[in-house]
Amino acid sequence: MNLSCFTGYEEHLTICGMTTLTQQQWIYRRQPAGQITAEHYQLVEQQLSTALGDGEVLIEARWFSVDPYMRIGQSSKPTYDTEPHPLNTVQQGAVVAQVLASNAGGFAIGDWVQSYTGWQTHARVHASGLKRIDPELAPVTTALGVLGMPGRTAWFGLTESGKPHAGEVVVVSGAAGAVGSLVVQFAKRHGARVLGIAGGAAKCDWLRIVLDADWAIDYKAYADADTLGAEIKRLTGGVDVYFDNVGGMVTDAIIPLINRRARIVICGQISQYSGGLETPELGPRLLHHMLYQRATIQGMLARDYLHRMDEMIHIVAPWVKAGEIVFEETVIDGFAQLPSALNSLFTGEHRGKLLVKA
Ligand SMILES: NC(=O)c1ccc[n+]([C@@H]2O[C@H](COP(=O)([O-])OP(=O)(O)OC[C@H]3O[C@@H](n4cnc5c(N)ncnc54)[C@H](OP(=O)(O)O)[C@@H]3O)[C@@H](O)[C@H]2O)c1
């Protein structure tokens, strides 16, 4: 067997002499109704064999992605085109990792890879489940953000479903988050006038000053959809493209303001994920506006554009390299923090992409 041995990092100097290493995993144990607490996940530790089969690679996760879809998968009903996340299994999710040992051509010790091995510190993976990351292109963490799934969502959601034209008004909810902050910037690059909606004055200042949004509104400062809608109307006059990440009151405020042939992109409904997906809102009550304005409403899923990932990277990576795109990351330190990091998506404490560092 042509197994390479890891010698590059102090903490693993002895791996070639070892037949196992200590692996930690976060196991998803119980379905939450609201916030995630200690009863929903369990941290387990076990020995992982380092013996590799043909084509296998041993990786150690360095960065974990924390994403709202994880909470969608905890709904009791099927969502997207998948069943709920199975109980008593490792929490699924994307990671950026390094190769510790390899029995696969094309992967060498120390290589950076992206994988979908979830919330576990180490994994043996078949090489077909790994995507190589070029650390020269951009910081490796961008594989989980602007050059990864959130970037793909923002780019194709905006350009394929939103189809913004120069001068049009694009409104983005969840605008200071991983996807939203990129949609704001991509829409500006299309010459649109952009309103970002986010929670808190600090996020709104960031949207205006750093991301160059034309306007920003703190939705938390409004008691209801009517008063929020009145302010959006005053600022923009009307909405041509609505990129919806949050649903709920914010969306209620915007739909009555759509212009003729507006495009509404349903990317996410995060305001509904902590229990609201079980008892859906009465959606059709606002759909008469679609009729009046001959508007289009379209759900979009990043997964449908997986085969066009290279196209997005070809366009966006040069902007990243040239420093023309802000791709802020909020980093929480420590594998042990993963469940509480997932909760923090819903309290809105982070800006840009939320990551956990191993
Ligand atoms: N369709 C797809 O393929 C796809 C792919 C990726 C993501 N998404 C969706 O896109 C949305 C954003 O995802 P992301 O990864 O970029 O996450 P994110 O925006 O970085 O983080 C979530 C943010 O949502 C906001 N939020 C939380 N609860 C809210 C509520 N009740 N009302 C209004 N805003 C709330 C918070 O910001 P504030 O402080 O501003 O409230 C929070 O920071 C999510 O709905 C996600 O499910 C969809």
Side-chain angles (χ1 to χ4, degrees):
M1 184 171 75
N2 180 27
L3 173 64
S4 313
C5 294
F6 185 86
T7 53
Y9 298 88
E10 202 178 328
E11 65 267 34
H12 298 292
L13 276 174
T14 56
I15 193 166
C16 291
M18 292 167 57
T19 53
T20 64
L21 53 73
T22 304
Q23 173 198 47
Q24 289 187 309
Q25 298 179 319
W26 276 108
I27 306 293
Y28 171 52
R29 289 282 186 224
R30 278 191 69 180
Q31 191 203 345
Q35 278 238 317
I36 290 156
T37 62
E39 63 180 334
H40 302 115
Y41 283 97
Q42 185 186 8
L43 184 59
V44 300
E45 197 171 288
Q46 62 205 9
Q47 292 303 301
L48 175 71
S49 166
T50 58
L52 296 176
D54 265 357
E56 274 195 330
V57 176
L58 178 68
I59 60 170
E60 177 166 3
R62 306 281 180 212
W63 300 90
F64 296 88
S65 186
V66 182
D67 294 282
Y69 73 77
M70 293 170 171
R71 195 63 188 76
I72 298 179
Q74 294 168 344
S75 167
S76 61
K77 296 174 183 153
T79 56
Y80 300 131
D81 47 5
T82 52
E83 290 298 310
H85 192 300
L87 293 173
N88 303 315
T89 59
V90 175
Q91 172 63 52
Q92 297 160 358
V95 305
V96 162
Q98 271 187 298
V99 173
L100 292 188
S102 173
N103 194 20
F107 288 95
I109 291 161
D111 279 357
W112 287 95
V113 292
Q114 196 226 302
S115 180
Y116 199 67
T117 43
W119 291 4
Q120 51 188 343
T121 54
H122 303 82
R124 284 193 322 264
V125 201
H126 192 270
S128 59
L130 299 176
K131 189 168 178 293
R132 179 183 300 289
I133 299 172
D134 176 4
E136 303 294 321
L137 185 67
V140 292
T141 49
T142 57
L144 300 175
V146 59
L147 300 181
M149 183 276 282
R152 188 170 77 238
T153 307
W155 180 256
F156 290 113
L158 182 70
T159 57
E160 299 277 315
S161 300
K163 298 186 172 71
H165 299 293
E168 284 191 324
V169 170
V170 174
V171 176
V172 185
S173 60
V179 173
S181 61
L182 297 174
V183 176
V184 167
Q185 296 176 82
F186 294 157
K188 287 294 293 182
R189 294 185 86 99
H190 279 78
R193 293 176 295 145
V194 181
L195 165 64
I197 301 182
K203 285 190 177 182
C204 290
D205 288 347
W206 182 70
L207 287 169
R208 270 188 305 261
I209 296 164
V210 180
L211 301 195
D212 199 28
D214 297 271
W215 313 278
I217 293 183
D218 169 13
Y219 71 92
K220 290 182 176 167
Y222 295 83
D224 53 44
D226 287 344
T227 52
L228 175 60
E231 181 61 2
I232 297 169
K233 173 85 177 165
R234 188 186 72 78
L235 292 176
T236 65
V239 178
D240 298 301
V241 177
Y242 173 38
F243 195 102
D244 185 13
N245 283 313
V246 307
M249 179 188 101
V250 175
T251 298
D252 281 7
I254 293 166
I255 287 185
L257 306 178
I258 54 175
N259 291 333
R260 185 75 41 92
R261 306 210 188 282
R263 284 82 68 201
I264 298 174
V265 186
I266 304 296
C267 173
Q269 300 281 288
I270 196 168
S271 68
Q272 307 301 305
Y273 296 171
S274 294
L277 296 178
E278 313 296 328
T279 49
E281 292 178 304
L282 294 171
R285 76 199 188 290
L286 288 176
L287 293 187
H288 56 116
H289 292 283
M290 307 301 297
L291 168 64
Y292 306 151
Q293 302 306 336
R294 289 74 123 189
T296 306
I297 186 163
Q298 184 172 18
M300 76 77 54
L301 195 55
R303 197 182 303 166
D304 296 343
Y305 293 98
L306 203 51
H307 63 293
R308 292 176 65 183
M309 193 68 187
D310 289 348
E311 180 186 331
M312 184 279 283
I313 289 179
H314 183 72
I315 296 166
V316 178
W319 298 340
V320 170
K321 206 161 185 178
E324 294 173 16
I325 290 279
V326 177
F327 54 96
E328 188 143 324
E329 295 167 343
T330 300
V331 176
I332 296 176
D333 219 8
F335 182 74
Q337 305 306 318
L338 275 162
S340 58
L342 181 54
N343 260 343
S344 75
L345 281 175
F346 300 90
T347 50
E349 286 146 20
H350 71 287
R351 225 166 43 196
K353 176 66 194 150
L354 183 63
L355 296 168
V356 168
K357 190 172 186 302

